[in-house]
C-alpha cells in the first residue's frame, strides 16, 4: 500500500516496508527528485539505518556477552512498520521489538519515524525509545537517494555538492571490506564545493565527521533546481553512489558508523554508538529541501 502526504508544491509517497520514503514529486511539473528504486542499480529509495549504520565485521556483533548477526545497516529497512498517525501533511510509522527481532537485536525498543511536509521541506524525524530494563545501545541514520542527473541529456558530472561553509575536508578512510581504517585523509582545503565524478566513489562512500556546515546541496549549473539536506543534528555525513555508475546520489546523515577494521568487540564499546537508559528516548531529524 502506498501512503501519500502532499501540499500545493510537493507530493510525497511512502511504504510501510521499512517505513520508507519512496517518492518526492513536484506538483508543478511532475519532476521526480527521489531515486525510483530500479533494482538494476539499487532497490531502495531512502532506507532507515537502525540499530547499526554500515557494516559490523563478518555481520556479527557482541551484546550482553552473546554474538548476534545483523546485515549491513541493520534491521530497520527490512521490516513492516505500523502507521500510527496520518494527516494530509504528516505521517508516522512505528516499529516495535518482537520475539523475532530480539533474536538479532537483544533490546526492547520502539522506533517511530515521522515525516512532515511544510512548503518545500520534508522533515524526517527519528525517535527511539528504550522499552527495556537495561541500557540499550544503537546507531541510527538516513540513506535517501536522489535522482542525479534529474533530466535526460544531463550527466552525473554536470552536478556538484555545495556546502554552506568553507571546510577543510578530511575523509574517514574505508577499506575493501567496507570497514573504517583508523585514519583520516586530507581531501580539500578551504572549500565549499565538490564536483561530482564516479572516481570519487572508487573506494566506497565519502564519509565526513564534525563538519562546520549544516547543509549540503546537490546542484548543477545547467538549471536552478537543487536538493538540499540540513544534517546539522548528525555528527557524520556519508555521500555515496555506485562506483560503476548509477543515476542517483545518496546523502546520508548518521549517528554512528561502520566498525573500524580492528574492532570486533561489544557494541557497548564501539565508537559512535548511542545509548539509552530504561524508559529514556532519543530523537533527531534532518530536512530535505526541494528547490
Amino acid at each position: 500500500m502506498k501512503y501519500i502526504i502532499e501540499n500545493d508544491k510537493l507530493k510525497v509517497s511512502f511504504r510501510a516496508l521499512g517505513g520508507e520514503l519512496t517518492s518526492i514529486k513536484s506538483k508543478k511539473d511532475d519532476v521526480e527528485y527521489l531515486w525510483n528504486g530500479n533494482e538494476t542499480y539499487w532497490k531502495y529509495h531512502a532506507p532507515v539505518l537502525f540499530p547499526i549504520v554500515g557494516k559490523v565485521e563478518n555481520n556479527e556483533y557482541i551484546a550482553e556477552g552473546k554474538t548476534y548477526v545483523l546485515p549491513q545497516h541493520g534491521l530497520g529497512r527490512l521490516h513492516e512498520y505500523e502507521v500510527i498517525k496520518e494527516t494530509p501533511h504528516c505521517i508516522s510509522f512505528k516499529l516495535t521489538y518482537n520475539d523475532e527481532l530480539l533474536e538479532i537485536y537483544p533490546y526492547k525498543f520502539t522506533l517511530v519515524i515521522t515525516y512532515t511536509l511544510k512548503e518545500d521541506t520534508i522533515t524526517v524525524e527519528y525517535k527511539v525509545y528504550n522499552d527495556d530494563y537495561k541500557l540499550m545501545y544503537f546507531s541510527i541514520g538516513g540513506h535517501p537517494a536522489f535522482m542525479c542527473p534529474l533530466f535526460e541529456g544531463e550527466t552525473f558530472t554536470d552536478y556538484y555538492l555545495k556546502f554552506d561553509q568553507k571546510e577543510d575536508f578530511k575523509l574517514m578512510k574505508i577499506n575493501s571490506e567496507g570497514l573504517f581504517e583508523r585514519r583520516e585523509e586530507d581531501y580539500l582545503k578551504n572549500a565549499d564545493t565538490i564536483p561530482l565524478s564516479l572516481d570519487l566513489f572508487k573506494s566506497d562512500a565519502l564519509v565526513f565527521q564534525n563538519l562546520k556546515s549544516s547543509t549540503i546541496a546537490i546542484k548543477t549549473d545547467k538549471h536552478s533546481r537543487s536538493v538540499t539536506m540540513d544534517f546539522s543534528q548528525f555528527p557524520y555525513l556519508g555521500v555515496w553512489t555506485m562506483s560503476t555508475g548509477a543515476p542517483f546520489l545518496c546523502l546520508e546523515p548518521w549517528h554512528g558508523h561502520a566498525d573500524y577494521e580492528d574492532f570486533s568487540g561489544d557494541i557497548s564499546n564501539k565508537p559512535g554508538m548511542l545509548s539509552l537508559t530504561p524508559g529514556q528516548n532519543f530523537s533527531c531529524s534532518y530536512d530535505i529541501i526541494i528547490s
Side-chain angles (χ1 to χ4, degrees):
M1 179 176 177
K2 182 165 70 172
Y3 299 90
I4 294 171
I5 60 176
E6 59 188 320
N7 59 17
D8 61 346
K9 295 179 181 292
L10 297 172
K11 182 178 181 180
V12 187
S13 303
F14 310 87
R15 64 183 178 189
L17 178 62
E20 187 179 7
L21 181 62
T22 57
S23 174
I24 303 172
K25 276 193 176 182
S26 166
K27 282 283 193 74
K28 181 179 180 180
D29 50 20
D30 211 36
V31 171
E32 177 63 74
Y33 287 86
L34 199 72
W35 169 240
N36 58 29
N38 181 344
E39 294 190 19
T40 302
Y41 297 99
W42 191 60
K43 68 180 181 179
Y44 296 98
H45 307 269
V48 58
L49 315 181
F50 174 86
I52 58 170
V53 169
K55 290 183 177 180
V56 288
E57 189 170 9
N58 299 320
N59 291 332
E60 294 181 344
Y61 71 101
I62 299 169
E64 308 288 309
K66 183 179 175 182
T67 298
Y68 295 87
V69 175
L70 270 180
Q72 183 173 0
H73 296 319
L75 57 85
R77 62 180 177 165
L78 304 175
H79 294 272
E80 290 281 332
Y81 287 61
E82 175 189 358
V83 176
I84 59 172
K85 177 183 179 181
E86 189 175 6
T87 74
H89 305 126
C90 182
I91 189 167
S92 294
F93 296 89
K94 182 176 76 170
L95 180 67
T96 303
Y97 74 93
N98 55 36
D99 289 343
E100 176 190 359
L101 295 181
L102 287 171
E103 289 294 317
I104 57 175
Y105 179 62
Y107 300 102
K108 296 178 180 180
F109 72 91
T110 298
L111 169 60
V112 177
I113 310 171
T114 298
Y115 301 92
T116 305
L117 176 61
K118 185 176 181 181
E119 298 294 333
D120 56 4
T121 299
I122 303 137
T123 298
V124 183
E125 181 188 33
Y126 302 132
K127 198 159 189 176
V128 182
Y129 298 82
N130 182 355
D131 300 327
D132 220 322
Y133 60 87
K134 58 192 176 186
L135 198 61
M136 168 183 161
Y137 296 92
F138 69 98
S139 292
I140 193 159
H143 202 314
F146 301 99
M147 298 299 293
C148 187
L150 270 177
F151 301 111
E152 288 187 17
E154 299 176 346
T155 66
F156 186 75
T157 55
D158 289 332
Y159 286 74
Y160 58 91
L161 296 173
K162 178 75 171 180
F163 293 81
D164 64 277
Q165 302 269 349
K166 296 279 189 180
E167 301 278 358
D168 292 328
F169 290 109
K170 292 180 179 291
L171 293 177
M172 296 177 67
K173 295 299 294 178
I174 302 174
N175 70 14
S176 60
E177 303 299 319
L179 304 175
F180 283 106
E181 303 174 14
R182 288 196 182 266
R183 66 186 180 94
E184 293 184 332
E185 183 179 89
D186 288 338
Y187 180 53
L188 290 173
K189 293 286 188 182
N190 195 34
D192 60 6
T193 302
I194 301 176
L196 288 177
S197 70
L198 293 182
D199 193 55
L200 290 174
F201 306 99
K202 63 185 180 182
S203 299
D204 210 322
L206 307 180
V207 181
F208 309 99
Q209 63 175 321
N210 300 320
L211 293 171
K212 293 179 289 185
S213 294
S214 296
T215 66
I216 181 175
I218 305 172
K219 307 187 77 157
T220 178
D221 292 331
K222 298 283 186 179
H223 50 74
S224 61
R225 301 192 182 237
S226 65
V227 175
T228 301
M229 176 181 285
D230 184 329
F231 61 92
S232 55
Q233 296 185 26
F234 294 79
Y236 303 95
L237 178 71
V239 180
W240 175 77
T241 193
M242 300 175 69
S243 61
T244 52
F248 67 80
L249 185 69
C250 295
L251 304 180
E252 307 178 37
W254 299 341
H255 274 280
H257 55 73
D259 279 1
Y260 284 109
E261 59 187 357
D262 61 354
F263 181 83
S264 58
D266 195 296
I267 61 168
S268 64
N269 298 318
K270 180 180 171 178
M273 296 296 287
L274 297 168
S275 64
L276 288 172
T277 57
Q280 189 181 16
N281 65 74
F282 169 84
S283 64
C284 60
S285 64
Y286 66 90
D287 290 340
I288 299 168
I289 304 105
I290 305 298
S291 298

